[in-house]
Amino acid sequence: MSVLRPFRNKRNIASFLAMLALAHALAGPARADAALINAAYALLEVELDAKLDFETLPRRAEPGIRLDAPMREGLVWLGERLAGQQVTGEPHDVLQGLPTAPLAIAAGLPGAALSVAHHRGFGSNALFPLGPAGFPALAARGEGSVALLFDHGQRAIGLRIHSDYAAPLGAAQPQGTLTLAFYRRDGALIGQVRRRLETGITELGFRRSDGMADIAAITVTNDDPGGIALDDILYQTAPMAF
């Protein structure tokens, strides 16, 4: 049964979502950055109306489909970085510099940008940012950077990250760190979040602490030894009106 069925109007829905958000905030440390607060991914699935899941592309086993040009999915552009930024680092991509305004997506070097493949951890298509080793090398998968540029400013976003696979004999390496940077459309940095990853799927959600719908783009980098894959990115197709 849908949790929204008992509510008869949008005002009640908004109140319900606000109460759930407050309860989540009070349950534990929620601050991600001065401008951002954590939000439960499950709550954002109810609140936001769009999900970028990469299922419009054919289902191919890893290494999957190589994407050298920026990718358009729904109301989002994806690429290696934002125009004005530089990619350095080895074996993981590191983003340097602020993006130029107005924001635009920039492609990476051929074979070192993005790929989409059927991911056995998610059980569906997922996005792999490719590192310097290049497609189709295993060492490149999940080691790169990715930028997402939204058509509309966002108050909140959610995403699921898969990092590494569990080692049955206990030989897994320590998990790495995920870094997300949030930008306004003029290229100004809203805030940055760093999170220690877990083996398997980590569900993340963030919202603007002041309620402003000004998240125009995010970038994602990591230093996880096994690399990452992204899936089920939640966003809003237009400003919410209750």
Side-chain angles (χ1 to χ4, degrees):
M1 178 180 294
S2 169
V3 295
L4 298 183
R5 188 170 296 174
F7 298 95
R8 297 181 179 179
N9 57 60
K10 292 182 177 179
R11 181 171 298 177
N12 283 343
I13 295 173
S15 298
F16 172 67
L17 293 174
M19 287 188 294
L20 282 181
L22 178 61
H24 176 70
L26 294 176
R31 206 154 197 71
D33 188 277
L36 300 157
I37 56 175
N38 293 343
Y41 183 90
L43 176 60
L44 294 181
E45 280 190 297
V46 177
E47 178 181 334
L48 304 178
D49 68 358
K51 179 184 290 186
L52 199 166
D53 60 11
F54 309 103
E55 296 302 326
T56 58
L57 293 175
R59 181 169 289 191
R60 303 275 177 82
E62 297 180 31
I65 302 168
R66 167 179 154 178
L67 303 171
D68 288 338
M71 174 185 177
R72 175 73 169 173
E73 181 86 2
L75 299 182
V76 186
W77 281 101
L78 300 97
E80 180 192 55
R81 56 192 167 85
L82 296 170
Q85 294 181 313
Q86 296 79 44
V87 173
T88 62
E90 181 78 30
H92 295 81
D93 282 352
V94 176
L95 288 176
Q96 294 186 337
L98 289 173
T100 54
L103 294 184
I105 286 291
L109 295 173
L114 306 173
S115 67
V116 169
H118 185 263
H119 189 277
R120 60 188 176 91
F122 283 119
S124 61
N125 276 353
L127 182 74
F128 292 81
L130 299 176
F135 186 92
L138 179 61
R141 261 170 265 168
E143 312 287 325
S145 60
V146 58
L148 297 90
L149 177 60
F150 302 96
D151 286 8
H152 303 287
Q154 304 293 313
R155 290 187 181 89
I157 62 116
L159 69 163
R160 302 171 77 213
I161 302 289
H162 191 288
S163 53
D164 216 342
Y165 292 100
L169 299 180
Q173 301 181 69
Q175 299 306 116
T177 301
L178 182 78
T179 301
L180 300 97
F182 298 72
Y183 295 93
R184 296 188 180 93
R185 205 158 302 273
D186 64 0
L189 179 68
I190 295 172
Q192 184 171 284
V193 177
R194 289 175 59 84
R195 285 294 176 81
R196 178 66 61 181
L197 292 165
E198 302 173 0
T199 299
I201 296 173
T202 301
E203 294 187 338
L204 298 170
F206 306 97
R207 68 173 74 250
R208 287 286 275 116
S209 56
D210 60 6
M212 292 289 291
D214 61 353
I215 301 171
I218 64 170
T219 60
V220 184
T221 56
N222 78 97
D223 61 6
D224 192 78
I228 64 169
L230 296 80
D231 201 7
D232 301 326
I233 299 165
L234 306 176
Y235 67 100
Q236 188 72 24
T237 56
M240 296 181 69
F242 287 110

